[in-house]
């Protein structure tokens, strides 16, 4: 199965090197400062989870990386390069609301970008897509339209779609919050598999603390636009130092 | 006054039906032009350059806010002085298509705005090129939801085709007029023309409403 | 063009404005009558008004105008051209307007009707005191669009020989042969009138909304949320190069 799973190790990125770097990044929306001179790095192959109360700026980080937003100040480096449309191709994203293209069948949702962005031949893209859809357990739904699938299935297609671009970094934006409770497990299982069996770098925002504990190498606790505490999951969940972290964790549990 | 003359009605009917064909032809060709041009306007109004947006917006507003009949006269009398000569029907089709393109542009705009923001974001996340995003993701979704609205403008255009009679196109109204001028009886031909319009427009509008309900949910 | 010919155009403009006002008043009366009738409790009233609306929305305004002018006399009534034009425009646009009236009334939340019922208002009072005051401000923007369509529709009256703007232009064209200039001028005249109507109606809308205690949206188009990538070089555009 591991062979199906995308991973990419280019010469510049040696394992353990820095892949994502935020330098004093500030983002404001009107009068509110969502990110305040934020510094943090994510190393190659690591799985980092952002937790914190809503409105604390977690999702903003993902949207900045996706260039859906631009920072007001500071720099963002990915793989050592400043973020632009070209560098963005190294990043994949899975959205809370899936955002599958409703006008395309499942298979084409997954092949569209590899064909038109990476320039893969149709056959190559189809082969890659089939492998990935098989992996997320939807090998039988290639010809379905997104509306014919359950939310959990749609989200798994969205994961396959993101992976088909062979990103170095996968951004996961509360990927289970729009799902009915009984569908959450299937999606998390797929992500757990990917986290274990590949060296893809993951940056997730989630409210699923068990999942965060399970897959993360490092957890960052956010509050009011800053990282107030970070460390391995055992430390953050087991013995949080900061008062706000303790409050937050007891509130979500 | 004499009452309704059935034999006269039967006598003019073939001419009126020939006129109906011209009317339908003008509507069909005018619609195609309006659909295409309207899309051009809608996309031009979204370009980042003000130098495209502003003039296109001004022209569209101007055409939409002035009478089609006068625009037809303008095309009919002015184009030949510039050395451009079209048949009356072609002139009429251009007039109809141009006029209604300013309405379809608005329809497309609403349709494009109606595509959820998440679709743009997903296309960005996949680094799809701008062109591809429009062609493969946005427009297919936008156009699907505007079909009923476009259909309603086809009906409106159909009802406006009698104006082409004013620039000598032999449509239904012109046929009725000529029949009337010959026999001094306008009642029958014009009543038949009016009824034919209702007979075609009403069922079509019912169809559009049904379509609207189906696509709306 | 001589001043005499300009005078002809302005005379035409004056007739166009008269025709617009007369038929707009007629259309508004018909719109409210038919719009309310379509919401009647009695099926026969709903049915008759429905037939009227569907028929006049279905037919062509120009054909209707011809019919009233040429066909009606043979059935015994002779209408002056100006009245045939006014009647045709009023009947057509009244049918369109009735849909606006009906839609706006139906858009008033059912809870309002129930509250009025709970206060024992008569049906007439419910409509007049509670429903209509809330519905009318909603009608202003679509009525504005219809009024501009009506203004454009007045040009049809030229085929009946009514001396409005398009007819005046035809006379001047025949006199001078300067078709580009003549039609250019009257197109601008129509546009200016349409512009003034839009402005006036916007003012009216603001006042109507204020009268029911609502803050008017300043501009619907700017208030609209624009998807990223849809407009301009803003955030999230694709293929926009380094940022």
């Amino acid at each position: 199965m591991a062979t199906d799973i995308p991973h990419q190790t280019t010469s510049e990125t040696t394992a353990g090197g820095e892949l994502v770097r935020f330098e004093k990044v500030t983002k404001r929306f009107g009068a509110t400062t969502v990110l305040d001179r934020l510094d943090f790095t994510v190393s190659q192959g690591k799985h980092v989870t952002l937790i914190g109360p809503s409105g604390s700026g977690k999702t903003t980080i993902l949207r900045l990386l996706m260039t859906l937003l631009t920072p007001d100040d500071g720099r963002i480096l990915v793989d050592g390069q400043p973020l632009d449309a070209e560098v963005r191709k190294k990043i994949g994203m899975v959205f809370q609301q899936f955002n599958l293209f409703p006008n395309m069948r499942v298979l084409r949702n997954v092949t569209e970008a590899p064909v038109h962005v990476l320039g893969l031949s149709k056959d190559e893209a189809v082969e890659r897509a089939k492998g990935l859809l098989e992996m997320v357990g939807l090998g039988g739904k290639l010809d379905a339209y997104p509306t014919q699938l359950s939310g959990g299935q749609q989200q798994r297609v969205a994961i396959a779609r993101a992976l088909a671009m062979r990103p170095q970094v996968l951004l996961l934006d509360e990927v289970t919050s729009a799902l009915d409770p009984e569908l959450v497990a299937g999606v998390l299982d797929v992500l757990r598999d990917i986290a274990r069996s590949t060296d893809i770098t993951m940056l997730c925002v989630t409210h699923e603390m068990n999942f965060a504990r399970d897959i993360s190498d490092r957890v960052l606790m956010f509050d009011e636009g800053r990282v107030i505490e970070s460390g391995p999951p055992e430390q953050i969940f087991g013995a949080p130092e900061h008062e706000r972290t303790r409050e937050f964790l007891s509130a979500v549990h | 006054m004499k009452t309704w003359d059935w034999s006269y009605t039967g006598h003019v009917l073939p001419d009126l039906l020939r006129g109906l064909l011209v009317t339908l032809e003008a509507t069909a060709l005018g619609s195609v032009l309006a659909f295409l041009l309207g899309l051009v306007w809608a996309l031009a109004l979204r370009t980042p350059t003000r130098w495209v947006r502003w003039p296109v917006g001004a022209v569209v507003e101007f055409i939409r806010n002035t009478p089609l009949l006068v625009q037809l006269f303008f095309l009919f009398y002015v184009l030949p002085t510039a050395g451009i000569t079209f048949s009356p029907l072609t002139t009429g089709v251009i007039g109809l298509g141009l006029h209604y393109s300013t309405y379809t542009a608005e329809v497309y705009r609403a349709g494009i705005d109606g595509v959820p923001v998440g679709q743009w974001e997903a296309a960005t996340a996949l680094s799809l090129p701008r062109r591809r995003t429009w062609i493969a993701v946005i427009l297919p979704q936008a156009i699907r939801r505007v079909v009923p609205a476009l259909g309603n403008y086809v009906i409106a255009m159909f009802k406006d085709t009698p104006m082409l009679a004013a620039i000598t196109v032999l449509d239904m109204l012109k046929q009725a007029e000529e029949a009337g001028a010959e026999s001094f009886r306008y009642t029958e031909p014009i009543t038949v023309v009016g009824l034919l319009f209702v007979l075609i427009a009403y069922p079509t509008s019912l169809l559009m409403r049904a379509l609207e309900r189906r696509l709306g949910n | 063009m001589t001043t005499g010919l300009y005078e002809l155009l302005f005379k035409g403009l004056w007739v166009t404005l008269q025709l617009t006002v007369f038929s707009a008043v007629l259309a508004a009366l018909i719109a409210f009558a038919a719009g309310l009738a379509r919401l009647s409790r009695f099926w026969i009233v709903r049915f008759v008004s429905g037939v009227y609306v569907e028929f006049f929305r279905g037919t062509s305004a120009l054909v209707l105008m011809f019919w009233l002018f040429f066909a009606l006399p043979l059935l015994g009534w002779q209408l002056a051209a100006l009245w045939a034009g006014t009647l045709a425009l009023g009947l057509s646009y009244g049918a369109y307007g009735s849909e606006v009236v009906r839609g706006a009334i139906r858009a008033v939340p059912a809870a309002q009707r129930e509250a009025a019922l709970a206060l024992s208002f008569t049906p007439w009072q419910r409509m007049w005191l509670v429903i209509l005051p809330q519905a009318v401000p909603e009608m202003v923007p679509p009525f504005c669009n219809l009024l501009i369509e009506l203004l454009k529709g007045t040009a049809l009256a030229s085929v009946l020989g009514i001396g409005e703007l398009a007819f005046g232009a035809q006379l001047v064209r025949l006199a001078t042969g300067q078709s580009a200039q003549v039609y250019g001028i009257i197109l601008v005249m129509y546009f200016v009138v349409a512009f003034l109507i839009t402005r006036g109606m916007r003012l009216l809308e603001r006042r109507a909304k204020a009268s029911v205690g609502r803050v008017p949206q300043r501009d619907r188009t700017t208030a609209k949320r624009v998807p990223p990538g849809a407009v301009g070089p803003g955030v999230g555009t694709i293929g926009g190069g380094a940022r």
Side-chain angles (χ1 to χ4, degrees), chain A residues 63 66 88-89 99-104 108 112 116-117 161 165, chain B residues 118-119 121-129 132 136-137 140-141:
Chain A
R63 298 174 68 84
M66 209 69 260
R88 186 184 53 206
K89 291 182 187 166
N99 296 354
L100 291 181
F101 302 133
N103 54 318
M104 302 178 190
R108 185 147 164 241
E112 179 70 13
H116 292 281
V117 179
R161 182 175 73 171
M165 296 293 284
Chain B
Q119 294 293 307
E121 295 181 346
T124 309
L126 292 169
S127 293
L128 282 183
R132 195 69 206 157
V137 179
Q141 295 182 52

Side-chain angles (χ1 to χ4, degrees), chain B residues 88-145:
Chain B
L89 181 61
T90 309
T91 310
V93 166
I94 294 172
L96 278 172
L98 190 64
H99 191 80
Y100 275 91
S101 73
T102 64
Y103 290 87
T104 55
E106 185 59 25
V107 170
Y108 288 126
R109 186 197 62 74
I112 292 166
D113 284 353
V115 176
V117 181
Q119 294 293 307
W120 294 95
E121 295 181 346
T124 309
L126 292 169
S127 293
L128 282 183
R130 183 179 250 284
R131 213 183 155 68
R132 195 69 206 157
T133 304
W134 276 107
I135 292 174
V137 179
I138 303 302
L139 287 181
Q141 295 182 52
I143 288 172
R144 203 183 120 79
R145 68 183 71 209

Side-chain angles (χ1 to χ4, degrees), chain B residues 64 103 128 159 191 209, chain C residues 57 60 67 149 152 238:
Chain B
R64 189 173 28 213
Y103 290 87
L128 282 183
K159 291 185 296 183
T191 308
R209 269 178 250 175
Chain C
R57 276 183 357 143
S60 158
W67 194 82
E149 294 300 320
K152 288 158 57 181
I238 292 155

Side-chain angles (χ1 to χ4, degrees), chain A residues 123-140:
Chain A
D123 293 346
E124 282 174 292
V126 167
E127 198 179 327
R128 184 186 285 190
K130 280 183 175 166
L132 286 164
L133 287 166
E134 199 66 50
M135 182 192 83
V136 298
L138 292 171

Side-chain angles (χ1 to χ4, degrees), chain C residues 101-167:
Chain C
V101 171
R102 185 168 74 123
I105 288 175
R106 291 209 338 196
V108 175
Q112 291 293 318
R113 207 172 305 256
E114 288 159 15
L117 204 65
L119 292 169
S120 305
F121 284 133
T122 64
W124 176 253
Q125 286 173 319
R126 286 206 297 271
M127 184 53 77
W128 194 248
L129 298 174
V130 180
I131 309 295
L132 273 184
Q134 298 183 57
V136 166
E138 294 306 313
M139 298 176 196
V140 176
F143 270 155
C144 172
N145 289 338
L146 273 183
L147 189 54
I148 288 174
E149 294 300 320
L150 175 61
L151 167 72
K152 288 158 57 181
T154 59
L156 301 181
S158 65
V159 299
L160 301 188
I162 297 174
E164 48 67 78
L165 197 45
F167 189 78

